[in-house]
Amino acid sequence: MMLVSACLAGIDCAWDGKDRLAPRIKHMVEKGLAVAVCPEVLGGRPIPRTRTEIRGGSGGNVLDGMAKVFDENSKDVTKEFLIGAHKALDIVEKHNIKKAILKSRSPSCGCDEIYDGSFQGRLVRGDGVTAALLKRKGVSCQNI
Ligand code: SF4
């Protein structure tokens, strides 16, 4: 069993109310080979919603209380991101999942590369909040 970003499975849960369909991911979910999760929605964020980026570091820094997640109106949404990440981890542990395929560059799901918090489209090295938590728990994360 694998964890996948729900937007990749064709669920309309991205910030703009649309999906980010990757047909092979949707197929995996339909075959029962993957569980689709949207950490931001699990954390209580609405659909559609404002865009968000991590300021002052990466997802690991957010987990450690050293950085925060803000939306494009400078509203602090860190708490929702932490709740969503821990709910995603609960699902991972329940299903004994060791691998995740997640949406790239997301402040939740991004692995190795995220936006820098300026909302100017600039990328920096680092993980989203959920990806960072899953990696800490030994889950292998891959982005598409
Ligand atoms: S939080 Fe993850 S699953 Fe949800 S819309 Fe963003 S990238 Fe997709």
Side-chain angles (χ1 to χ4, degrees):
M1 186 63 77
M2 209 176 278
L3 190 83
V4 296
S5 293
C7 57
L8 296 175
I11 296 169
D12 296 334
C13 58
W15 67 271
D16 55 4
K18 298 177 182 173
D19 65 47
R20 301 291 186 269
L21 178 64
R24 77 178 172 99
I25 300 297
K26 184 179 183 190
H27 187 68
M28 285 170 59
V29 173
E30 288 171 346
K31 289 281 180 189
L33 302 173
V35 180
V37 165
C38 177
E40 292 181 25
V41 173
L42 285 177
R45 298 277 289 144
I47 305 170
R49 56 188 174 275
T50 48
R51 293 181 301 149
T52 46
E53 294 187 6
I54 298 171
R55 261 191 229 157
S58 65
N61 301 121
V62 175
L63 294 174
D64 294 335
M66 305 295 287
K68 288 178 174 286
V69 190
F70 291 92
D71 79 356
E72 54 197 315
N73 300 320
S74 293
K75 182 184 175 202
D76 184 348
V77 292
T78 306
K79 185 177 170 193
E80 289 95 323
F81 273 68
L82 289 171
I83 290 170
H86 283 278
K87 285 189 176 177
L89 178 62
D90 288 345
I91 292 167
V92 158
E93 290 177 340
K94 182 178 167 199
H95 294 278
N96 196 26
I97 288 170
K98 303 290 183 205
K99 188 172 177 193
I101 301 179
L102 303 171
K103 172 72 180 68
S104 62
R105 300 174 177 176
S106 157
S108 298
C109 295
C111 299
D112 302 327
E113 191 178 56
I114 54 172
Y115 291 106
D116 72 350
S118 67
F119 294 95
Q120 300 294 317
R122 291 195 291 263
L123 292 164
V124 290
R125 298 287 300 168
D127 300 314
V129 179
T130 295
L133 183 60
L134 297 185
K135 282 185 176 181
R136 283 187 182 182
K137 299 297 179 177
V139 178
S140 165
C141 297
Q142 176 192 336
N143 264 177
I144 60 171

